[in-house]
Amino acid sequence: MIGRQIVLAARPEGEPKESDFALVETEVPTPGPGEILVRALYVSVDPYQRGRMSEARSYAKSVALGEVMTSQTVGEVVESDDDRFDPGDVVVGQLGWQEYAVARGSALRRVPPSVPPTLALGVLGATGLTAYFGLFEVGRPVPGDTVVVSGAAGAVGQVVGQLARLAGCRTVGIAGGPDKLADLTGEYGYDVGIDYKADDVNGALKAACPDGVDVYFDNVGGELSDLVLRRLALHARVVVCGQVSQYNNQTPELGPRLLGLLIVHRARIEGFLVTDYAPRFGEAIPRLAAWLAAGKLRYREDVTDGLENAPRAFIGMLRGENRGKALVRVAEPG
Ligand code: NAP
């Protein structure tokens, strides 16, 4: 059997191009003892993949040239030599941008039939879990706090704002463009939305956070974050989730050096990785699912059709073209 894959063809300089990827056809491997063959339904499109395309040192190894692009994938079990999985089961794992993958059972998580498969990549998958652990474990909001979120209309940001609201906080979301601005207050319940492409961000933040920012959940970094750091409240917590504005930079961008503000406000700034919380995913997923079922958590998905269009979806997502969680539909359930 032949399967299609998207492999890394070249290491991008600056913004990735479609020619940095190649669509190839290969023979699908036969699963060995203890292995499972999975047919992809949806693959995920995420900012961290830009880091994997680079050789720069990071928390995970780079994708090699010619290797399948890494991604979370939700798919159907086709063949299984593991008693825990049967053909037809829906599973999620780091299986890459490819139609078929062979994996060990320990690398897969089962998705219950009651859960739409896309949610295993979104609110009930890595992005929802990032929002959950980043906000609750690192941001530690308390009722009455003002929580500011950058990248607030994105996959992670849309969940952070709603969780902060459920925790009794005032929420201020920052995103780019009129459609996303409408989603911030209309769909995701932010108290205030700021369009960083059109508004005077400094003035808008000052008006929205008269008592300062207690929690800043940062998905973006760069100049936007410099402006938020100037508005921290006493004992503020800055959650460094992502720095998407910097991912295409060839050399680090130097900005104003604002760490003195951490002294002034006795603030804490902390980076985190969602995968460090993997042993606790089982505690978070039922809570997120309960909020979803109760209609307290809303979400948008931005689905592109066809594995061959994954590079275009990825480049578009880094440009801000996605409205909600970026996904690529590879196949319909069989
Ligand atoms: P996303 O927000 O759905 O998509 C990326 C968004 O980034 C774009 O839609 C765009 O939104 C924004 N963006 C791009 N360039 C920008 C710039 N120069 N300035 C401001 N905004 C810019 O992506 P996501 O999956 O939810 O990821 C959000 C962040 O979380 C990323 O930084 C990612 O690396 C991080 N993350 C971290 C972890 C972890 O474990 N630490 C896990 C998952 C994700 P606008 O249209 O609003 O500009």
CSV table of all heavy atoms in Angstrom, one decimal, residues 145-149 160-166 169-173 188-193:
chain,number,residue,atom,x,y,z
A,145,ASP,N,-8.8,38.9,39.5
A,145,ASP,CA,-7.5,39.2,38.8
A,145,ASP,C,-7.9,39.8,37.4
A,145,ASP,O,-8.9,39.3,36.8
A,145,ASP,CB,-6.7,38.0,38.6
A,145,ASP,CG,-5.7,37.7,39.8
A,145,ASP,OD1,-5.7,38.6,40.7
A,145,ASP,OD2,-5.0,36.7,39.8
A,146,THR,N,-7.0,40.6,36.9
A,146,THR,CA,-7.1,41.0,35.5
A,146,THR,C,-6.1,40.1,34.7
A,146,THR,O,-4.9,40.1,35.0
A,146,THR,CB,-6.8,42.5,35.3
A,146,THR,OG1,-7.8,43.2,35.9
A,146,THR,CG2,-6.7,42.9,33.8
A,147,VAL,N,-6.6,39.4,33.7
A,147,VAL,CA,-5.8,38.4,33.0
A,147,VAL,C,-5.7,39.0,31.5
A,147,VAL,O,-6.7,39.1,30.9
A,147,VAL,CB,-6.3,37.0,33.0
A,147,VAL,CG1,-5.5,36.1,32.1
A,147,VAL,CG2,-6.4,36.5,34.4
A,148,VAL,N,-4.5,39.2,31.0
A,148,VAL,CA,-4.3,39.7,29.7
A,148,VAL,C,-3.7,38.5,28.9
A,148,VAL,O,-2.8,37.8,29.3
A,148,VAL,CB,-3.4,40.9,29.6
A,148,VAL,CG1,-3.0,41.3,28.1
A,148,VAL,CG2,-4.0,42.1,30.3
A,149,VAL,N,-4.3,38.3,27.7
A,149,VAL,CA,-3.8,37.2,26.8
A,149,VAL,C,-3.4,37.7,25.5
A,149,VAL,O,-4.2,38.5,24.8
A,149,VAL,CB,-4.9,36.1,26.6
A,149,VAL,CG1,-4.4,34.9,25.8
A,149,VAL,CG2,-5.5,35.7,28.0
A,160,VAL,N,-7.7,30.0,26.9
A,160,VAL,CA,-7.2,30.7,28.1
A,160,VAL,C,-8.2,31.7,28.6
A,160,VAL,O,-8.5,31.8,29.8
A,160,VAL,CB,-5.8,31.4,27.8
A,160,VAL,CG1,-5.4,32.2,29.0
A,160,VAL,CG2,-4.8,30.4,27.4
A,161,GLY,N,-8.7,32.6,27.7
A,161,GLY,CA,-9.6,33.6,28.1
A,161,GLY,C,-10.8,33.1,28.8
A,161,GLY,O,-11.3,33.6,29.8
A,162,GLN,N,-11.4,32.0,28.2
A,162,GLN,CA,-12.6,31.4,28.8
A,162,GLN,C,-12.3,30.7,30.2
A,162,GLN,O,-13.1,30.8,31.1
A,162,GLN,CB,-13.2,30.4,27.9
A,162,GLN,CG,-13.7,31.1,26.6
A,162,GLN,CD,-14.3,30.1,25.6
A,162,GLN,OE1,-15.4,29.8,25.7
A,162,GLN,NE2,-13.5,29.7,24.6
A,163,LEU,N,-11.1,30.1,30.3
A,163,LEU,CA,-10.8,29.5,31.6
A,163,LEU,C,-10.6,30.5,32.6
A,163,LEU,O,-11.0,30.4,33.8
A,163,LEU,CB,-9.5,28.6,31.5
A,163,LEU,CG,-9.6,27.4,30.5
A,163,LEU,CD1,-8.3,26.5,30.6
A,163,LEU,CD2,-10.8,26.5,30.9
A,164,ALA,N,-10.0,31.6,32.2
A,164,ALA,CA,-9.7,32.7,33.2
A,164,ALA,C,-11.1,33.3,33.7
A,164,ALA,O,-11.2,33.6,34.8
A,164,ALA,CB,-8.9,33.8,32.6
A,165,ARG,N,-12.0,33.4,32.7
A,165,ARG,CA,-13.3,33.9,33.1
A,165,ARG,C,-14.0,32.9,34.1
A,165,ARG,O,-14.6,33.4,35.0
A,165,ARG,CB,-14.1,34.0,31.8
A,165,ARG,CG,-15.2,35.1,31.9
A,165,ARG,CD,-15.8,35.2,30.5
A,165,ARG,NE,-17.2,35.5,30.6
A,165,ARG,CZ,-17.7,36.7,30.9
A,165,ARG,NH1,-16.8,37.7,31.1
A,165,ARG,NH2,-19.0,36.9,31.0
A,166,LEU,N,-13.9,31.6,33.8
A,166,LEU,CA,-14.5,30.6,34.7
A,166,LEU,C,-13.8,30.7,36.1
A,166,LEU,O,-14.5,30.3,37.1
A,166,LEU,CB,-14.3,29.2,34.1
A,166,LEU,CG,-15.2,28.9,32.9
A,166,LEU,CD1,-14.7,27.6,32.2
A,166,LEU,CD2,-16.6,28.7,33.3
A,169,CYS,N,-12.1,35.8,36.7
A,169,CYS,CA,-11.2,36.9,36.4
A,169,CYS,C,-11.8,37.9,35.4
A,169,CYS,O,-12.7,37.5,34.6
A,169,CYS,CB,-9.8,36.4,35.8
A,169,CYS,SG,-9.0,35.3,37.0
A,170,ARG,N,-11.3,39.1,35.3
A,170,ARG,CA,-11.6,40.0,34.2
A,170,ARG,C,-10.6,39.6,33.1
A,170,ARG,O,-9.4,39.4,33.3
A,170,ARG,CB,-11.3,41.4,34.6
A,170,ARG,CG,-12.5,42.2,35.1
A,170,ARG,CD,-12.2,43.7,35.2
A,170,ARG,NE,-12.3,44.4,33.9
A,170,ARG,CZ,-11.3,45.0,33.3
A,170,ARG,NH1,-10.1,44.9,33.8
A,170,ARG,NH2,-11.5,45.6,32.2
A,171,THR,N,-11.0,39.6,31.8
A,171,THR,CA,-10.1,39.1,30.8
A,171,THR,C,-10.0,40.2,29.7
A,171,THR,O,-11.0,40.8,29.2
A,171,THR,CB,-10.6,37.8,30.2
A,171,THR,OG1,-12.0,37.9,29.8
A,171,THR,CG2,-10.6,36.7,31.2
A,172,VAL,N,-8.8,40.3,29.2
A,172,VAL,CA,-8.5,41.3,28.2
A,172,VAL,C,-7.7,40.5,27.1
A,172,VAL,O,-6.6,39.9,27.4
A,172,VAL,CB,-7.6,42.4,28.7
A,172,VAL,CG1,-7.2,43.4,27.5
A,172,VAL,CG2,-8.3,43.2,29.8
A,173,GLY,N,-8.2,40.4,25.9
A,173,GLY,CA,-7.6,39.6,24.8
A,173,GLY,C,-7.0,40.6,23.8
A,173,GLY,O,-7.6,41.6,23.4
A,188,TYR,N,-15.7,34.3,22.7
A,188,TYR,CA,-14.8,33.8,23.8
A,188,TYR,C,-15.0,34.5,25.1
A,188,TYR,O,-14.3,34.2,26.1
A,188,TYR,CB,-13.4,33.8,23.4
A,188,TYR,CG,-13.1,33.2,22.0
A,188,TYR,CD1,-12.3,33.8,21.1
A,188,TYR,CD2,-13.7,32.0,21.7
A,188,TYR,CE1,-12.1,33.2,19.9
A,188,TYR,CE2,-13.5,31.4,20.4
A,188,TYR,CZ,-12.7,32.1,19.5
A,188,TYR,OH,-12.5,31.5,18.3
A,189,GLY,N,-15.9,35.5,25.1
A,189,GLY,CA,-16.3,36.2,26.4
A,189,GLY,C,-15.3,37.0,27.0
A,189,GLY,O,-15.3,37.3,28.2
A,190,TYR,N,-14.3,37.5,26.2
A,190,TYR,CA,-13.3,38.5,26.8
A,190,TYR,C,-14.1,39.7,27.2
A,190,TYR,O,-15.0,40.2,26.5
A,190,TYR,CB,-12.2,38.8,25.8
A,190,TYR,CG,-11.1,37.8,25.7
A,190,TYR,CD1,-11.1,36.8,24.8
A,190,TYR,CD2,-10.0,37.8,26.6
A,190,TYR,CE1,-10.1,35.8,24.7
A,190,TYR,CE2,-9.0,36.9,26.5
A,190,TYR,CZ,-9.1,35.9,25.6
A,190,TYR,OH,-8.1,34.9,25.5
A,191,ASP,N,-13.7,40.3,28.3
A,191,ASP,CA,-14.4,41.6,28.7
A,191,ASP,C,-14.0,42.7,27.8
A,191,ASP,O,-14.8,43.6,27.5
A,191,ASP,CB,-14.0,41.9,30.2
A,191,ASP,CG,-14.6,40.9,31.1
A,191,ASP,OD1,-15.8,40.9,31.2
A,191,ASP,OD2,-13.8,40.2,31.8
A,192,VAL,N,-12.7,42.7,27.4
A,192,VAL,CA,-12.2,43.7,26.4
A,192,VAL,C,-11.4,43.0,25.4
A,192,VAL,O,-10.6,42.1,25.7
A,192,VAL,CB,-11.3,44.7,27.2
A,192,VAL,CG1,-10.8,45.8,26.3
A,192,VAL,CG2,-12.0,45.4,28.4
A,193,GLY,N,-11.5,43.5,24.1
A,193,GLY,CA,-10.7,43.0,23.0
A,193,GLY,C,-9.8,44.2,22.5
A,193,GLY,O,-10.3,45.3,22.4
